[in-house]
Short mmCIF file of all heavy atoms in Angstrom, two decimals:
data_model
loop_
_atom_site.label_atom_id
_atom_site.label_comp_id
_atom_site.label_asym_id
_atom_site.label_seq_id
_atom_site.Cartn_x
_atom_site.Cartn_y
_atom_site.Cartn_z
N MET A 1 18.12 6.42 -23.97
CA MET A 1 17.89 7.66 -24.70
C MET A 1 16.41 7.81 -25.00
O MET A 1 15.70 6.86 -25.26
CB MET A 1 18.69 7.66 -26.00
CG MET A 1 18.42 8.88 -26.87
SD MET A 1 19.62 9.03 -28.20
CE MET A 1 18.89 10.38 -29.11
N ILE A 2 15.94 9.06 -24.94
CA ILE A 2 14.54 9.33 -25.21
C ILE A 2 14.22 9.10 -26.67
O ILE A 2 14.96 9.44 -27.56
CB ILE A 2 14.21 10.80 -24.84
CG1 ILE A 2 14.45 11.02 -23.33
CG2 ILE A 2 12.80 11.16 -25.20
CD1 ILE A 2 13.60 10.19 -22.46
N SER A 3 13.07 8.50 -26.93
CA SER A 3 12.63 8.30 -28.31
C SER A 3 12.39 9.65 -28.98
O SER A 3 12.08 10.64 -28.33
CB SER A 3 11.33 7.50 -28.32
OG SER A 3 10.72 7.59 -29.57
N LYS A 4 12.49 9.66 -30.30
CA LYS A 4 12.30 10.89 -31.06
C LYS A 4 10.85 11.06 -31.52
O LYS A 4 10.55 11.92 -32.32
CB LYS A 4 13.26 10.92 -32.25
CG LYS A 4 14.71 10.92 -31.81
CD LYS A 4 15.67 10.87 -32.99
CE LYS A 4 17.10 10.84 -32.51
NZ LYS A 4 18.06 10.71 -33.61
N LYS A 5 9.97 10.25 -31.00
CA LYS A 5 8.57 10.40 -31.38
C LYS A 5 7.98 11.60 -30.67
O LYS A 5 8.25 11.88 -29.52
CB LYS A 5 7.78 9.15 -31.01
CG LYS A 5 8.10 7.96 -31.90
CD LYS A 5 7.15 6.83 -31.65
CE LYS A 5 5.75 7.14 -32.06
NZ LYS A 5 4.83 6.03 -31.92
N ALA A 6 7.13 12.31 -31.34
CA ALA A 6 6.49 13.47 -30.73
C ALA A 6 5.34 13.03 -29.86
O ALA A 6 4.92 11.87 -29.86
CB ALA A 6 5.98 14.41 -31.83
N ALA A 7 4.82 13.96 -29.08
CA ALA A 7 3.69 13.68 -28.21
C ALA A 7 2.49 13.25 -29.05
O ALA A 7 2.33 13.65 -30.19
CB ALA A 7 3.34 14.93 -27.41
N GLU A 8 1.65 12.41 -28.46
CA GLU A 8 0.51 11.91 -29.19
C GLU A 8 -0.64 12.92 -29.14
O GLU A 8 -0.43 14.10 -28.88
CB GLU A 8 0.13 10.53 -28.64
CG GLU A 8 1.27 9.55 -28.88
CD GLU A 8 0.89 8.11 -28.63
OE1 GLU A 8 -0.24 7.85 -28.19
OE2 GLU A 8 1.72 7.23 -28.87
N THR A 9 -1.85 12.48 -29.33
CA THR A 9 -2.94 13.39 -29.64
C THR A 9 -3.50 14.14 -28.44
O THR A 9 -4.37 14.98 -28.62
CB THR A 9 -4.09 12.62 -30.31
OG1 THR A 9 -4.47 11.53 -29.47
CG2 THR A 9 -3.63 12.08 -31.65
N SER A 10 -3.08 13.86 -27.21
CA SER A 10 -3.56 14.61 -26.06
C SER A 10 -3.29 16.09 -26.29
O SER A 10 -2.22 16.47 -26.75
CB SER A 10 -2.86 14.13 -24.79
OG SER A 10 -3.16 12.78 -24.54
N LYS A 11 -4.25 16.92 -25.97
CA LYS A 11 -4.16 18.32 -26.35
C LYS A 11 -4.32 19.23 -25.14
O LYS A 11 -4.76 18.82 -24.07
CB LYS A 11 -5.24 18.64 -27.38
CG LYS A 11 -6.65 18.28 -26.92
CD LYS A 11 -7.70 18.85 -27.83
CE LYS A 11 -7.89 20.33 -27.57
NZ LYS A 11 -9.01 20.91 -28.36
N THR A 12 -3.99 20.48 -25.39
CA THR A 12 -4.24 21.51 -24.39
C THR A 12 -5.73 21.82 -24.39
O THR A 12 -6.34 22.04 -25.45
CB THR A 12 -3.45 22.78 -24.73
OG1 THR A 12 -2.07 22.45 -24.81
CG2 THR A 12 -3.64 23.82 -23.65
N ILE A 13 -6.33 21.83 -23.20
CA ILE A 13 -7.76 22.12 -23.06
C ILE A 13 -7.89 23.57 -22.59
O ILE A 13 -7.30 23.96 -21.58
CB ILE A 13 -8.41 21.16 -22.05
CG1 ILE A 13 -8.23 19.70 -22.50
CG2 ILE A 13 -9.90 21.48 -21.87
CD1 ILE A 13 -8.64 18.68 -21.45
N ARG A 14 -8.68 24.34 -23.33
CA ARG A 14 -8.86 25.77 -23.03
C ARG A 14 -10.35 26.04 -22.83
O ARG A 14 -11.06 26.33 -23.80
CB ARG A 14 -8.31 26.63 -24.15
CG ARG A 14 -6.81 26.48 -24.38
CD ARG A 14 -6.40 27.30 -25.60
NE ARG A 14 -4.97 27.24 -25.85
CZ ARG A 14 -4.08 28.05 -25.30
NH1 ARG A 14 -4.47 28.97 -24.43
NH2 ARG A 14 -2.80 27.95 -25.58
N PRO A 15 -10.82 25.98 -21.60
CA PRO A 15 -12.25 26.23 -21.35
C PRO A 15 -12.66 27.64 -21.78
O PRO A 15 -11.92 28.60 -21.57
CB PRO A 15 -12.39 26.06 -19.84
CG PRO A 15 -11.18 25.28 -19.42
CD PRO A 15 -10.09 25.67 -20.37
N ILE A 16 -13.83 27.76 -22.38
CA ILE A 16 -14.34 29.06 -22.81
C ILE A 16 -14.77 29.87 -21.59
O ILE A 16 -15.43 29.37 -20.69
CB ILE A 16 -15.52 28.86 -23.77
CG1 ILE A 16 -15.05 28.12 -25.03
CG2 ILE A 16 -16.16 30.20 -24.15
CD1 ILE A 16 -16.17 27.68 -25.94
N ALA A 17 -14.33 31.12 -21.56
CA ALA A 17 -14.70 32.09 -20.52
C ALA A 17 -14.09 31.80 -19.16
O ALA A 17 -14.42 32.48 -18.17
CB ALA A 17 -16.23 32.19 -20.38
N ALA A 18 -13.19 30.83 -19.06
CA ALA A 18 -12.56 30.53 -17.76
C ALA A 18 -11.42 31.52 -17.49
O ALA A 18 -10.75 31.97 -18.41
CB ALA A 18 -12.02 29.11 -17.76
N SER A 19 -11.21 31.83 -16.22
CA SER A 19 -10.16 32.78 -15.86
C SER A 19 -9.17 32.24 -14.85
O SER A 19 -8.02 32.67 -14.83
CB SER A 19 -10.78 34.07 -15.30
OG SER A 19 -11.63 33.80 -14.21
N SER A 20 -9.57 31.28 -14.02
CA SER A 20 -8.65 30.78 -12.98
C SER A 20 -9.07 29.38 -12.54
O SER A 20 -9.70 29.20 -11.49
CB SER A 20 -8.64 31.74 -11.78
OG SER A 20 -7.68 31.36 -10.84
N ILE A 21 -8.70 28.37 -13.33
CA ILE A 21 -9.07 26.99 -13.03
C ILE A 21 -8.20 26.44 -11.91
O ILE A 21 -6.98 26.58 -11.93
CB ILE A 21 -8.92 26.10 -14.29
CG1 ILE A 21 -9.89 26.55 -15.37
CG2 ILE A 21 -9.11 24.63 -13.95
CD1 ILE A 21 -11.33 26.34 -15.02
N TYR A 22 -8.81 25.79 -10.93
CA TYR A 22 -8.08 25.10 -9.86
C TYR A 22 -8.42 23.61 -9.89
O TYR A 22 -7.85 22.86 -10.67
CB TYR A 22 -8.37 25.75 -8.50
CG TYR A 22 -7.39 26.86 -8.19
CD1 TYR A 22 -7.49 28.10 -8.83
CD2 TYR A 22 -6.36 26.68 -7.28
CE1 TYR A 22 -6.58 29.12 -8.57
CE2 TYR A 22 -5.44 27.69 -7.00
CZ TYR A 22 -5.56 28.90 -7.65
OH TYR A 22 -4.64 29.89 -7.39
N GLY A 23 -9.35 23.17 -9.06
CA GLY A 23 -9.64 21.75 -9.00
C GLY A 23 -10.23 21.22 -10.29
O GLY A 23 -11.08 21.87 -10.91
N ILE A 24 -9.77 20.03 -10.72
CA ILE A 24 -10.31 19.39 -11.93
C ILE A 24 -10.55 17.91 -11.66
O ILE A 24 -9.85 17.28 -10.87
CB ILE A 24 -9.37 19.56 -13.15
CG1 ILE A 24 -7.98 18.98 -12.87
CG2 ILE A 24 -9.27 21.03 -13.56
CD1 ILE A 24 -7.05 18.96 -14.09
N VAL A 25 -11.55 17.35 -12.36
CA VAL A 25 -11.90 15.92 -12.27
C VAL A 25 -12.44 15.48 -13.62
O VAL A 25 -13.23 16.21 -14.24
CB VAL A 25 -12.97 15.66 -11.18
CG1 VAL A 25 -13.41 14.20 -11.22
CG2 VAL A 25 -12.45 16.01 -9.80
N PHE A 26 -12.03 14.31 -14.10
CA PHE A 26 -12.66 13.71 -15.28
C PHE A 26 -13.84 12.87 -14.81
O PHE A 26 -13.71 12.01 -13.93
CB PHE A 26 -11.66 12.88 -16.06
CG PHE A 26 -10.71 13.71 -16.87
CD1 PHE A 26 -9.47 14.09 -16.35
CD2 PHE A 26 -11.04 14.13 -18.15
CE1 PHE A 26 -8.60 14.87 -17.09
CE2 PHE A 26 -10.18 14.91 -18.90
CZ PHE A 26 -8.95 15.29 -18.37
N HIS A 27 -15.02 13.12 -15.42
CA HIS A 27 -16.24 12.46 -14.97
C HIS A 27 -17.16 12.22 -16.16
O HIS A 27 -17.60 13.17 -16.82
CB HIS A 27 -16.93 13.33 -13.92
CG HIS A 27 -18.20 12.74 -13.36
ND1 HIS A 27 -18.23 11.55 -12.65
CD2 HIS A 27 -19.49 13.18 -13.42
CE1 HIS A 27 -19.47 11.29 -12.28
NE2 HIS A 27 -20.25 12.26 -12.73
N LYS A 28 -17.41 10.95 -16.47
CA LYS A 28 -18.34 10.55 -17.52
C LYS A 28 -18.04 11.22 -18.86
O LYS A 28 -18.94 11.74 -19.54
CB LYS A 28 -19.78 10.84 -17.08
CG LYS A 28 -20.21 10.00 -15.89
CD LYS A 28 -21.66 10.23 -15.54
CE LYS A 28 -22.08 9.31 -14.38
NZ LYS A 28 -23.51 9.51 -14.00
N GLY A 29 -16.76 11.21 -19.24
CA GLY A 29 -16.37 11.72 -20.54
C GLY A 29 -16.14 13.22 -20.61
O GLY A 29 -15.74 13.74 -21.65
N PHE A 30 -16.40 13.92 -19.52
CA PHE A 30 -16.20 15.37 -19.48
C PHE A 30 -15.14 15.72 -18.44
O PHE A 30 -14.86 14.94 -17.52
CB PHE A 30 -17.51 16.09 -19.12
CG PHE A 30 -18.56 16.03 -20.19
CD1 PHE A 30 -19.50 15.01 -20.18
CD2 PHE A 30 -18.61 16.97 -21.20
CE1 PHE A 30 -20.48 14.93 -21.17
CE2 PHE A 30 -19.58 16.91 -22.18
CZ PHE A 30 -20.51 15.89 -22.17
N LEU A 31 -14.58 16.90 -18.60
CA LEU A 31 -13.70 17.45 -17.58
C LEU A 31 -14.51 18.44 -16.76
O LEU A 31 -15.06 19.41 -17.31
CB LEU A 31 -12.50 18.15 -18.22
CG LEU A 31 -11.56 18.89 -17.24
CD1 LEU A 31 -10.86 17.91 -16.31
CD2 LEU A 31 -10.54 19.73 -18.00
N TRP A 32 -14.59 18.20 -15.46
CA TRP A 32 -15.25 19.14 -14.56
C TRP A 32 -14.17 19.97 -13.88
O TRP A 32 -13.13 19.44 -13.49
CB TRP A 32 -16.08 18.40 -13.52
CG TRP A 32 -17.32 17.74 -14.07
CD1 TRP A 32 -17.46 17.18 -15.30
CD2 TRP A 32 -18.56 17.56 -13.40
NE1 TRP A 32 -18.71 16.66 -15.46
CE2 TRP A 32 -19.42 16.88 -14.31
CE3 TRP A 32 -19.05 17.89 -12.15
CZ2 TRP A 32 -20.73 16.53 -13.97
CZ3 TRP A 32 -20.36 17.54 -11.81
CH2 TRP A 32 -21.19 16.88 -12.72
#
């Protein structure tokens, strides 16, 4: 059975002024 704990601190990332994100990469602490 699935645990009843909620999701941890990972969050939805909403880039400012972005309209259609496709390729993504994590690089040196940033999301490209």
Side-chain angles (χ1 to χ4, degrees):
M1 176 168 173
I2 298 298
S3 165
K4 298 177 181 177
K5 288 189 67 176
E8 296 192 356
T9 55
S10 298
K11 55 169 283 186
T12 303
I13 302 170
R14 297 175 178 273
I16 298 171
S19 55
S20 186
I21 296 294
Y22 270 75
I24 58 173
V25 174
F26 283 93
H27 181 62
K28 295 184 177 180
F30 291 92
L31 175 66
W32 290 34

